[in-house]
Amino acid sequence: SDGGKLLVVPMVGSHWLSMQEVVQKLSERGHEVVVLVPEVSWQMEMTQAYKVVTYPVTQPLEELDNAF
């Protein structure tokens, strides 16, 4: 993030919960942060602290729930 720009592609799961705080702090310090998330996901909410871009997936939420 030396150039001030950061692209984050988190996987669905618990590591995003701790990673989200780091991403938010980087954004607060002036870094331009884009978080790329699937349109079907858990716990990946929208925020104004950084830009969130979604991408389409073929798996519905019910299928994701059943997989876990």
Side-chain angles (χ1 to χ4, degrees), residues 2-23:
D2 198 26
K5 295 184 179 185
L6 181 66
L7 175 63
V8 180
V9 186
M11 300 297 292
V12 174
S14 63
H15 75 280
W16 171 245
L17 297 176
S18 58
M19 187 176 163
Q20 184 177 14
E21 187 174 334
V22 173
V23 170

Side-chain angles (χ1 to χ4, degrees), residues 6-10 12-14 16 19 21 23 28-30 33 35 37 43 45 51-52 56 59-61:
L6 181 66
L7 175 63
V8 180
V9 186
V12 174
S14 63
W16 171 245
M19 187 176 163
E21 187 174 334
V23 170
E28 290 171 5
R29 293 181 181 179
V33 180
V35 179
V37 298
Q43 302 170 344
E45 58 214 30
K51 182 176 181 180
V52 176
Q59 185 179 36
L61 185 58

Side-chain angles (χ1 to χ4, degrees), residues 43-54:
Q43 302 170 344
M44 292 186 178
E45 58 214 30
M46 302 293 179
T47 179
Q48 291 185 359
Y50 43 83
K51 182 176 181 180
V52 176
V53 176
T54 60

Side-chain angles (χ1 to χ4, degrees), residues 25 30 33 39 48-50 55-56 61 63 65-67:
K25 291 291 183 190
V33 180
E39 44 184 27
Q48 291 185 359
Y50 43 83
Y55 60 91
L61 185 58
E63 190 176 321
D65 286 341
N66 291 335

